Amino acid sequence: MISIKSPREILIMKQAGHINYLVHQEIEKYLKPGTSLKKIDSLIKTLVEKQGGTCSCYGYEGFPSNACISLNDEVVHGIPDDRKIKNGDLLKIDFTVRKDGYESDMTKTYIIGTVKKEVEDFVKRTEQSLYEGLKVIKHGAKLGDIGYAISSYAHKYGYSVVEELTGHGIGSDMHEEPEVPNYGEKDKGLTLKEGMTLAIEPMLNMGSKEVYMADNNWTILTDDESYSAHFEHTILVTKDGYEILTGE
Ligand code: MF3
Ligand code: CO
Ligand code: CO
């Protein structure tokens, strides 16, 4: 069952999403070479709780940290440890915020220091691919339109789309129906309806789309060790388009 959220539920999700957005803004100034992933993780917890939310990734299916922090060729579900970030790293920070029984989910890829122009372009275009996916969303559009928009934009630049992981419905649960693949066919699949809330989250690789799971049974990495980038927003489907819930 895909739930349609009430105005009250949407309001709470917006509050959760705003905390998610704010903490992403605040965390940026701490992302200096030499900072450990664990330190970033504990800062996120402190900042989220200061805003009245909780980090619901913690303990989710046994996940051991507050945020998923994935470096370079790690695609998603990186577990923050004692590694320190350094110049040239791509740092993906993905976390959920729970407030008053509702969830929000947001990811950004941060560039630490400077990277080659081609890597910078890759990160910018991965972010743009999220907006390409969002642009087609409105009441009456099809789920396949989203994946088609994301993947055709990514392929235009020679990037690949990770297929093993998808976006998802979101609400009182972090992961609700439907799955939202980052590939698809135009005009195919489920019809979107006003009041649905979705997490849209393209994961693109600079090299091959193939990925594997690390021995920790969480972290997903690229087979060819190429860079991966990831952006995510929680959105509301509206009559004429969409509204970003993880925003200002
Ligand atoms: N935030 C992730 C997503 O985008 C889910 C993380 S699950 C966790 O769907 F257990 F790793 F936290
Ligand atoms: Co997420
Ligand atoms: Co998500």
Side-chain angles (χ1 to χ4, degrees):
M1 240 275 288
I2 299 169
S3 64
I4 299 295
K5 271 70 178 184
S6 70
R8 176 192 149 268
E9 290 178 296
I10 292 162
L11 200 69
I12 303 173
M13 288 183 72
K14 234 188 218 175
Q15 290 167 0
H18 182 61
I19 296 174
N20 216 322
Y21 165 85
L22 275 184
V23 174
H24 267 288
Q25 296 273 96
E26 288 178 37
I27 201 75
E28 194 153 12
K29 61 173 174 285
Y30 298 102
L31 303 181
K32 295 271 156 38
T35 308
S36 76
L37 302 185
K38 265 199 175 149
K39 174 78 186 165
I40 298 167
D41 186 67
S42 77
L43 277 166
I44 290 170
K45 176 180 163 69
T46 304
L47 294 169
V48 167
E49 290 179 355
K50 204 174 90 188
Q51 296 291 339
T54 55
C55 288
S56 44
C57 283
Y58 185 79
Y60 180 85
E61 292 183 5
F63 190 72
S65 313
N66 302 295
C68 299
I69 306 187
S70 312
L71 271 174
N72 301 324
D73 60 333
E74 294 174 347
V75 180
V76 287
H77 304 165
I79 299 177
D81 55 19
D82 290 323
R83 282 176 296 170
K84 291 177 171 152
I85 56 174
K86 54 183 194 316
N87 186 48
D89 277 342
L90 292 194
L91 187 71
K92 284 128 303 180
I93 302 184
D94 178 5
F95 61 95
T96 52
V97 172
R98 189 171 185 88
K99 182 162 166 62
D100 299 334
Y102 287 85
E103 300 276 341
S104 73
D105 195 357
M106 179 176 173
T107 307
K108 279 171 85 172
T109 298
Y110 298 88
I111 295 173
I112 308 307
T114 49
V115 291
K116 282 192 200 142
K117 170 89 168 52
E118 60 183 273
V119 179
E120 199 181 317
D121 287 345
F122 167 61
V123 173
K124 278 193 193 137
R125 289 167 182 158
T126 303
E127 182 167 26
Q128 186 56 33
S129 79
L130 167 59
Y131 289 94
E132 296 296 317
L134 295 181
K135 263 193 239 169
V136 301
I137 293 178
K138 62 176 182 191
H139 181 88
K142 304 278 185 179
L143 202 62
D145 296 342
I146 303 174
Y148 177 79
I150 291 170
S151 59
S152 48
Y153 180 82
H155 292 153
K156 199 162 74 183
Y157 295 101
Y159 309 137
S160 64
V161 174
V162 176
E163 295 176 355
E164 278 79 355
L165 299 131
T166 65
H168 48 93
I170 179 167
S172 52
D173 288 329
M174 179 195 304
H175 293 141
E176 298 185 352
E177 286 179 59
E179 286 193 348
V180 185
N182 295 305
Y183 56 91
E185 283 178 65
K186 254 187 183 162
D187 218 27
K188 289 271 166 70
L190 176 101
T191 304
L192 303 179
K193 293 206 167 65
E194 195 179 349
M196 287 179 178
T197 45
L198 305 171
I200 308 296
E201 50 177 315
M203 290 148 264
L204 306 189
N205 297 342
M206 268 186 94
S208 130
K209 67 177 183 184
E210 304 306 330
V211 296
Y212 70 97
M213 191 184 279
D215 291 338
N216 66 18
N217 270 321
W218 274 107
T219 311
I220 306 289
L221 297 102
T222 61
D223 265 7
D224 62 5
E225 300 185 356
S226 67
Y227 285 116
S228 190
H230 183 200
F231 284 85
E232 175 174 31
H233 268 311
T234 298
I235 65 98
L236 166 72
V237 179
T238 65
K239 186 168 162 284
D240 302 313
Y242 66 93
E243 191 183 336
I244 292 178
L245 302 178
T246 38
E248 292 180 62

